[in-house]
Amino acid sequence: MSADRFIKAYNAIDDHLRDLLAIDRSRFGFASVVDQAAKRFSVVRRYADDLKEYGALRNAIVHDKEYPARIIADPRPDVVEAIERLAEVIIDPPRVYPLFRREVRRLDVSDPLAKPLRWIREYHYTQFPAFRGARFAGLLTSRCIAQWLADSLANGGVDAKSATVADALRHDQFGGRRVAFVSRNATWYDAAELFTPRKGKQQAALEAILITESGREDEALLGIITPRDVLNPPEGLS
């Protein structure tokens, strides 16, 4: 029966959220559990309304006053498939690693500017994390380089041979504040939220998210995420 599959997926979600919150079944209804979980987990925030609707539907198809509970309605197959997909995502949301694993070409501020210029030509990259030793110094972008070039021409000429990454990086007006670091265990939903400032908060939108083992900037870079990468949610969900 479709109802059996629906209830199985619903119970899997309910059990998972209660385990995350250390809440047993004798405390709080499903909607309250969703609200509490939404405060801590981005994937639950994303689908909180859907989860509550499924909770209401569960109450409509199950008669709890009898034991064992009696199913009194059968949900449509597409609804069952939707909650099954949602259960998979809630229980095991896609992680930024290995989803966005890729080679990240990092720079030191002392590197010659010719180095990223060569990478732009060869690989068509437009963003490069720059470090001062182990400390993150900013994101060198093609925009920074273009502004450096314009200012250099206005001031008498371009000396590309002696120019360093630091020279171009001075044109990052945000001073690296438009970059965030996350751990490899962060979810796709965590990344999507970081690119979307919360309502009422005035802040510059991120240009990139850098992935490291535990989210520290002094660790090896495992990948990079751009706003374009999170335009669409995982397949089958919205």
Side-chain angles (χ1 to χ4, degrees):
M1 290 177 60
S2 294
D4 291 329
R5 288 171 55 194
F6 180 95
I7 297 302
K8 181 179 179 181
Y10 169 87
N11 285 340
I13 295 171
D14 190 25
D15 289 342
H16 178 69
L17 296 184
R18 290 178 188 276
D19 287 344
L20 289 176
L21 299 170
I23 296 175
D24 61 41
R25 284 190 172 273
S26 64
R27 299 182 60 201
F28 305 111
F30 182 70
S32 178
V33 170
V34 170
D35 285 336
Q36 293 180 61
K39 295 176 182 178
R40 294 175 51 187
F41 304 102
S42 59
V43 63
V44 180
R45 280 192 292 277
R46 178 89 175 202
Y47 299 112
D49 290 341
D50 293 333
L51 289 168
K52 290 179 182 179
E53 288 181 3
Y54 287 134
L57 179 56
R58 181 267 177 200
N59 293 337
I61 66 177
V62 175
H63 196 279
D64 275 330
K65 292 183 179 180
E66 297 183 7
Y67 184 82
R70 182 167 59 95
I71 294 176
I72 59 176
D74 216 22
R76 296 200 319 258
D78 61 316
V79 174
V80 175
E81 292 173 2
I83 193 175
E84 288 176 337
R85 288 195 302 271
L86 184 54
E88 292 178 1
V89 169
I90 293 293
I91 293 170
D92 187 21
R95 308 288 170 176
V96 295
Y97 187 91
L99 190 60
F100 299 112
R101 177 178 59 193
R102 62 190 71 171
E103 180 184 14
V104 183
R105 294 183 176 269
R106 59 180 286 165
L107 297 164
D108 189 273
V109 292
S110 62
D111 285 336
L113 191 57
K115 188 174 184 178
L117 289 174
R118 184 174 68 252
W119 289 345
I120 290 174
R121 185 184 72 249
E122 293 179 0
Y123 306 108
H124 306 291
Y125 293 163
T126 59
Q127 297 177 321
F128 306 95
F131 291 78
R132 185 173 285 104
R135 185 173 182 179
F136 180 67
L139 188 71
L140 181 68
T141 65
S142 54
R143 184 182 64 251
C144 293
I145 296 174
Q147 189 61 55
W148 165 81
L149 178 60
D151 287 353
S152 296
L153 289 172
N155 292 325
V158 177
D159 184 4
K161 290 184 178 180
S162 64
T164 67
V165 168
D167 293 327
L169 197 60
R170 293 190 186 100
H171 294 281
D172 174 13
Q173 60 179 312
F174 296 99
R177 294 189 301 276
R178 296 182 72 175
V179 176
F181 284 77
V182 299
S183 79
R184 62 185 292 163
N185 290 322
T187 70
W188 180 94
Y189 299 92
D190 295 330
E193 280 196 352
L194 285 172
F195 282 120
T196 309
R198 294 189 180 182
K199 292 181 180 179
K201 289 198 173 183
Q202 299 295 324
Q203 63 186 77
L206 291 183
E207 290 187 309
I209 296 173
L210 297 173
I211 306 167
T212 64
E213 181 68 27
S214 59
R216 297 205 324 261
E217 64 181 47
D218 60 347
E219 298 175 313
L221 297 175
L222 303 177
I224 186 171
I225 313 170
T226 67
R228 182 184 296 274
D229 291 326
V230 293
L231 284 177
N232 298 306
E235 185 177 355
L237 293 168
S238 61

